[in-house]
Amino acid sequence: MSEAIALDLESEIEALKKELNAVLLAHYYQESEIQDVADFVGDSLQLSQQAAKTDADVIVFAGVHFMAETAKILNPEKQVLLPDLAAGCSLADNCPADKFAEFIAQHPGHTVISYINCSAAVKAISDIICTSSNAVKIVQQLPPDEKIIFAPDQHLGRWVMKQTGRPLVLWPGSCIVHEVFSAKKITQLKARHPEAKVIAHPECEESVLALADFIGSTSALLKFTAQSEASEFIVATEPGIIHQMEKQHPEKTYIPAPPESGCACNQCPFMRLNTMEKLYLCMKNRQPEIKLPEDLRVRALKPIQRMLAMS
Ligand code: 13P
Ligand code: SF4
């Protein structure tokens, strides 16, 4: 896209924000231009907190479907727009509610904690929602003898088990993006950059997390790079976050962790479906819009409210 068109789209989006009384929320994995035009850029927890407290009439969500759906669950009276309805998530897509209900039935007496990366139907049969920012904190607040199912990300679940010392029954889901990082290639990279700190999202496989100097949600990784005395980082998460790292500390070096093959598969194909053009068009046409049956929304709301209260 030429700079002239990009600048034009930016001012069109700004004008539409005013016209619609809209708030534009963007996740750290969005392309840089979208992050720069957003009113708020954050991780899943921060974005749901912003959605819970906004007084805008329209929420435009530059993220993936489960994020916009969470905003709708919290704001039934507001219009929630998502630039591309096909922006899914491998975790949400591989945990269908009917199969998950069977899984829960196989483990009676368990409290069900579901990562926010799941559908409204899965949320509706969960007891508490969590994000990578608060998963440890939420598990720690439950009585020590409480039996827990954790879904749908097995790697995050295993990391939470390690942090809390609590056994969790894990749904075997994973993120297609965080699974591509190669422990072998990170080790080779680290040998060439011995001063670099390896930072990783807990959705990465255990072999990658074992190499990390710091593990955390996207916002925790950003905070770490800002506060650390180190000046070089190997970043094992979706490289969209590097835009904010560079904005905060342009003098530091951020090296995207290498995937197993030479592909660009460390970029989330779902997050990257959103573009400035689609963002502009969804605001102009006021669609695609997130819609939810009211009974499902009400059931999905409860575990989200428990999360917000426990965060
Ligand atoms: P965060 O909540 O850490 O931003 O994670 C969202 C996500 O989808 C990670 O892949
Ligand atoms: Fe889902 Fe992974 Fe994309 Fe996050 S990076 S939205 S977990 S597919």
Side-chain angles (χ1 to χ4, degrees):
M1 194 194 316
S2 78
E3 200 176 339
I5 294 171
L7 282 175
D8 192 45
L9 281 177
E10 192 184 322
S11 50
E12 294 289 341
I13 289 168
E14 288 296 352
L16 281 165
K17 274 201 247 173
K18 287 198 186 78
E19 194 183 312
L20 303 182
N21 186 27
V23 64
L24 173 52
L25 306 178
H27 188 265
Y28 289 125
Y29 295 165
Q30 292 295 282
E31 61 178 49
S32 307
E33 283 174 307
I34 294 182
Q35 293 188 37
D36 289 345
V37 79
D39 297 303
F40 185 85
V41 187
D43 70 8
S44 308
L45 177 64
Q46 293 167 329
L47 293 170
S48 58
Q49 287 166 332
Q50 288 294 321
K53 70 178 189 199
T54 184
D55 54 10
D57 295 323
V58 177
I59 298 173
V60 186
F61 219 114
V64 289
H65 191 274
F66 75 83
M67 296 178 171
E69 194 171 59
T70 302
K72 184 65 182 177
I73 293 166
L74 287 161
N75 294 282
E77 74 296 348
K78 294 188 197 301
Q79 187 173 41
V80 178
L81 303 172
L82 180 67
D84 191 326
L85 278 186
C89 167
S90 62
L91 282 167
D93 297 347
N94 293 320
C95 186
D98 56 342
K99 292 277 176 299
F100 189 49
E102 285 170 20
F103 186 77
I104 294 172
Q106 284 158 13
H107 301 90
H110 284 64
T111 294
V112 180
I113 302 184
S114 294
Y115 190 31
I116 198 164
N117 300 39
C118 65
S119 66
V122 165
K123 288 184 175 77
I125 52 172
S126 303
D127 297 301
I128 315 172
I129 299 306
C130 73
T131 75
S132 52
S133 284
N134 59 19
V136 168
K137 194 173 166 183
I138 284 175
V139 169
Q140 281 170 337
Q141 285 175 64
L142 297 183
D145 56 348
E146 196 152 323
K147 293 189 280 182
I148 303 170
I149 288 174
F150 189 93
D153 189 68
Q154 58 177 308
H155 302 301
L156 173 65
R158 234 169 255 125
W159 177 71
V160 173
M161 275 205 263
K162 268 200 178 153
Q163 299 300 299
T164 61
R166 302 273 300 258
L168 304 174
V169 175
L170 302 177
W171 172 270
S174 56
C175 161
I176 52 164
V177 177
H178 287 84
E179 274 198 335
V180 303
F181 298 118
S182 150
K184 191 172 137 206
K185 290 200 172 172
I186 292 175
T187 307
Q188 289 165 349
L189 192 59
K190 178 88 182 154
R192 295 202 300 277
H193 300 266
E195 301 300 320
K197 297 276 180 217
V198 177
I199 61 172
H201 194 280
E203 285 174 16
C204 293
E205 286 181 345
E206 215 169 357
S207 58
V208 169
L209 295 181
L211 298 171
D213 297 293
F214 181 78
I215 299 165
S217 65
T218 50
S219 59
L221 298 179
L222 180 60
K223 194 168 163 197
F224 181 81
T225 55
Q227 294 180 347
S228 167
E229 282 174 10
S231 58
E232 217 178 357
F233 303 90
I234 296 168
V235 183
T237 193
E238 217 278 2
I241 183 82
I242 292 176
H243 180 57
Q244 295 298 326
M245 292 172 175
E246 282 173 341
K247 272 175 110 169
Q248 291 193 1
H249 284 277
E251 77 286 2
K252 297 187 179 185
T253 304
Y254 311 94
I255 309 164
E260 188 59 52
S261 67
C263 61
C265 42
N266 59 345
Q267 290 194 347
C268 175
F270 307 107
M271 289 275 182
R272 304 290 177 142
L273 281 177
N274 295 330
T275 60
M276 285 290 276
E277 286 90 341
K278 287 188 203 168
L279 182 54
Y280 161 69
L281 287 173
C282 92
M283 293 175 79
K284 186 166 171 271
N285 300 328
R286 296 187 71 154
Q287 60 162 324
E289 180 183 0
I290 304 286
K291 294 212 168 146
L292 269 176
E294 181 60 8
D295 63 323
L296 174 61
R297 186 196 72 80
V298 170
R299 284 183 287 126
L301 177 63
K302 259 199 205 157
I304 297 174
Q305 284 176 326
R306 265 189 95 181
M307 170 187 81
L308 293 174
M310 291 169 89
S311 296

